[in-house]
């Protein structure tokens, strides 16, 4: 019992954040009002718990590369706040950006110790996606979801009509994570469960009617399939196409509404609907803010204040929301629904280079490690999950930005990707137990069990050249040190 508590205690704050995302947010916690949720509070506890653990155990800090990449956004965020016309109004934005892009990801990197921890957190995300997806499908079938095309059929889970992207984001995370496990897990049972979960989650993703989530999910899963081989990609692509035909054409899962929504993706330039027109107008407004303040932008949280001065008359007064237990509301348009343009408009070129540059460096490091490990054998599930989630997020940022209760899960996803990308490489010549894949840290020398004769001591089996990943096990009682271990 004591061993179990010691083993899983570091993960409890992480799992608490995931679990509390199932709690319906309070009224007003829509990302625009600045109202936090219990999951946001749990993320603060997560950061504090990580700091306390580091001080108590004197654990290793982040590697130099991880510290530079994860800390790079601090430069652009703080500079934009100081250079803002109203620095006091920018302070909530500073706290939010540091929470999502610096503090929580760094805490995840330090608390996730090995592949087993990574797997537990991944399955927790899939479980949350299944729970939210089940609620969303029920909303669609019973007509109790958010309003869409005059009907209360849009699946939003517990996030409500004011955050229609919340459930779609969580469910998409679950699909990408399940895909990574199905492609990289060595166990048949894990692959089978992952395939079942991915298939079940496809239904709530469809009835979420979120075009951005659809596009990002297809892009991320396609990349994972390509990394695992062209033949497998073709087979899975055909199977996914057949599943889509069965769901939409055979079972009629939102067939007419889904077809109209899919068709609208190709009509964003020819005959855009009102939401697309508003989005284009806000994108142009964000670009106008950058041209006015090219280096540091207009300041964090400054988009709503400067929006009307840079937007054309095509911008509507807001978006209509209704359903999912709420009456009709007119929601103001407080962001451009494009994370890159939001950073460019509010933080300028310096902010874009530091914040988006951090994401790009994270992607390059994660992909490089995955390709290196893939060259020595099968791609590990943890690497595929990390790269898939990161790619999904970076693609989705072209259609959405941070805001809403699900934002804290974005921070956890970035942390999982950073854990995979920045785990220290194993030095060559270290003993390698068979079957272990994933990034690991350096090993502490084992305490000898008894005298060993040099003539009878077995020669150590060495790993392949780094970064082929394996754990050190030089004798009985060896244990692995470091914040990211396998």
């Amino acid at each position: 019992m004591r061993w179990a508590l010691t083993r899983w205690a570091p993960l409890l704050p992480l799992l608490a954040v995931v679990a509390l995302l199932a709690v319906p947010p309070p009224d007003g916690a829509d990302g625009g009002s600045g109202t936090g949720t219990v999951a946001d509070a749990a993320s603060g506890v997560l950061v504090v718990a990580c700091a306390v653990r580091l001080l108590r155990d004197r654990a290793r800090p982040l590697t130099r590369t991880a510290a530079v990449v994860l800390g790079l956004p601090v430069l652009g965020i703080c500079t934009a706040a100081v250079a803002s016309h109203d620095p006091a109004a920018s302070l909530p934005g500073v706290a939010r950006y540091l929470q999502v892009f610096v503090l929580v990801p760094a805490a995840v990197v330090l608390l996730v110790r090995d592949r087993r921890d990574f797997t537990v957190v991944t399955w927790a995300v899939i479980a949350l996606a299944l729970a939210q997806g089940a609620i969303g499908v029920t909303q669609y079938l019973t007509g109790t979801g958010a309003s869409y095309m005059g009907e209360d059929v849009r699946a939003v889970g517990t996030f409500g009509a004011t955050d229609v992207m919340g459930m779609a984001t969580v469910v998409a995370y679950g699909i990408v994570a399940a895909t990574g496990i199905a492609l990289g897990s060595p166990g048949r049972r894990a692959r089978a469960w992952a395939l079942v979960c991915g298939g079940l989650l496809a239904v709530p993703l469809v009835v979420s009617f979120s075009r951005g989530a659809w596009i990002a999910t297809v892009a991320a899963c396609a990349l994972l399939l390509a990394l695992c081989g062209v033949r497998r990609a073709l087979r899975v692509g055909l199977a996914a196409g057949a599943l889509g035909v069965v769901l939409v054409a055979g079972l009629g899962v939102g067939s007419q509404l889904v077809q109209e929504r899919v068709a609208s993706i190709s009509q964003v330039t020819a005959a855009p609907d009102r939401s697309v027109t508003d989005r284009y107008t806000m994108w142009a407004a964000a670009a106008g803010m950058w041209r006015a303040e090219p280096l540091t932008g207009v300041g964090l949280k400054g988009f709503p204040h400067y929006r009307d001065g840079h937007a054309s008359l095509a911008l509507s007064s807001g978006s209509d929301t209704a359903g999912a237990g709420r009456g009709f509301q007119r929601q103001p348009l407080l962001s451009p629904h494009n994370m890159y343009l939001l950073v460019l408009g509010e933080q300028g070129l310096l902010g874009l280079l530091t914040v988006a540059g951090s994401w790009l460096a994270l992607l390059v490091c994660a992909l490089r490690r995955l390709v290196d490990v893939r060259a020595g054998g099968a791609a590990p599930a943890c690497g595929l999950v990390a790269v898939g989630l990161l790619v999904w997020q970076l693609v989705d940022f072209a259609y959405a930005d941070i805001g809403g209760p699900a934002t804290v899960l974005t921070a956890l996803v970035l942390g999982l990707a950073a854990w995979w990308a920045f785990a220290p490489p194993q030095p060559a010549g270290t003993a390698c137990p068979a079957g272990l894949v994933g990034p690991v840290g350096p090993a502490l020398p084992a305490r000898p069990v008894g005298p060993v004769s040099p003539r009878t001591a077995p020669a150590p089996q060495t790993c392949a050249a780094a970064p082929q990943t394996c754990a050190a096990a030089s004798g009985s009682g060896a244990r692995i040190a470091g914040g990211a271990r396998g």
Side-chain angles (χ1 to χ4, degrees), residues 227-228 367-380 420 464-469:
L227 291 172
C228 292
L367 278 174
R368 183 178 62 181
R369 175 161 293 236
L370 182 61
V371 171
D372 289 340
V373 176
R374 178 72 175 86
W420 165 259
Q468 180 67 21
T469 52

Side-chain angles (χ1 to χ4, degrees), residues 225-238:
L225 289 171
L227 291 172
C228 292
V230 178
R231 292 184 179 179
R232 178 180 289 187
L234 292 176
R235 290 197 300 266
V236 176
L238 292 175

Side-chain angles (χ1 to χ4, degrees), residues 25-37 159 162 326 329 331 334 404-405:
D27 293 340
D30 54 3
S33 62
T35 305
T37 65
F159 296 100
T162 58
R326 293 192 178 187
Q329 286 182 306
Q331 290 295 118
L334 302 178

